[in-house]
Every structure is written in structure tokens, then in C-alpha cells.
Amino acid sequence: MVDELPEDVQQRMMEKLLGKVNAERIKTATKGFRPTPVIVAYEYYQLPKQLFRNWRIDRIENGRKDQHLESLDTESCLIEVEALRCKGFTVKQVPIGLEPTKAQREQARSAGQKRRRSIMDKLKDIKI
């Protein structure tokens, strides 16, 4: 019965049952397929440039990130996050576009100065 279905439908069924990584691996497996455990987590974040409907939720399955939901307002995003947490998934917020702290700016500046100094020390013996 499953063999009679179109190939794309079979592929989607395998992805839902085994996960995308295992569905791709089973296509290329020559002998003895052993599925890897599927680890699913979610990340949600706010896009800094948009004024409204700027929240997005991404699904991460075994390290591969796919977009789960987009163009959400704050309320609907938090509702969806709570629903995912109730289902037992790991959901974390990712800060994007935050201004660096004073300590981070100072650390970056000193690292750049050290890099420039080391380059100049290497070039000081070269005569043009």
C-alpha cells in the first residue's frame, strides 16, 4: 500500500517517522541502516529592523535549522512557545542585534590593537 504512493509522499512520511537526517541517510544506505537519535529543539528571536510581526521560531533537528513559524507578534509567539514547551521540546530565546556592552567593545578594541601590533612587528624588517 505504501509502495503505491507517490515518491514525494513516501519521502514526507519517512521524514515524519524517522526525522529528516535519517530519511536522507536511508536513501544512500547500502547495507545495515542504523538510525541516529533525533534531537529537536526550537529557538525564537525578534528581528530588529521590523516594527510589527517581527518574531520568528526556528526548529533545529540534529543541528539543522529550519524555519518553523515567521511573522508572529509578541503574543502569538509566546503562546506558541508555551505550547512547544508543554509538548516537551527545548525552547530558548536567542538575542539578536543587541548593542555590545562597554567591556565587549573594549575587549574588541584591544584585540584589534594587538593584531595590528603583531603585523607591524612582522613587517618592520621589510625594506621597500
Side-chain angles (χ1 to χ4, degrees):
M1 181 176 156
V2 174
D3 296 332
E4 298 169 1
L5 295 172
E7 189 174 326
D8 61 331
V9 174
Q10 290 179 9
Q11 180 67 26
R12 278 185 296 186
M13 287 175 64
M14 282 195 317
E15 286 176 1
K16 290 207 181 234
L17 293 172
L18 300 172
K20 286 186 180 182
V21 174
N22 287 327
E24 290 175 4
R25 285 182 57 228
I26 203 166
K27 280 182 161 180
T28 59
T30 54
K31 61 177 182 176
F33 172 75
R34 176 181 276 163
T36 61
V38 178
I39 300 169
V40 178
Y42 289 88
E43 290 181 348
Y44 68 102
Y45 52 91
Q46 183 178 17
L47 299 172
K49 302 280 182 183
Q50 297 178 352
L51 297 175
F52 60 96
R53 294 195 161 270
N54 54 357
W55 286 90
R56 186 175 286 175
I57 300 175
D58 289 341
R59 175 187 165 103
I60 302 170
E61 180 182 313
N62 286 0
R64 291 187 179 179
K65 188 181 281 193
D66 293 322
Q67 201 170 61
H68 180 64
L69 292 172
E70 64 175 338
S71 299
L72 299 171
D73 58 356
T74 307
E75 235 178 83
S76 59
C77 179
L78 294 177
I79 290 170
E80 184 65 28
V81 165
E82 283 305 314
L84 291 169
R85 283 187 177 142
C86 288
K87 290 180 183 179
F89 292 111
T90 304
V91 184
K92 64 179 180 178
Q93 183 175 5
V94 180
I96 293 181
L98 297 178
E99 290 293 320
T101 63
K102 186 176 181 181
Q104 290 171 337
R105 280 195 298 267
E106 186 61 37
Q107 183 181 8
R109 186 176 298 120
S110 67
Q113 289 172 349
K114 288 178 186 175
R115 207 172 313 121
R116 281 191 294 277
R117 197 174 305 124
S118 68
I119 291 171
M120 292 306 288
D121 287 342
K122 290 177 186 176
L123 295 176
K124 71 179 179 183
D125 295 333
I126 298 175
K127 294 185 180 182
I128 298 176

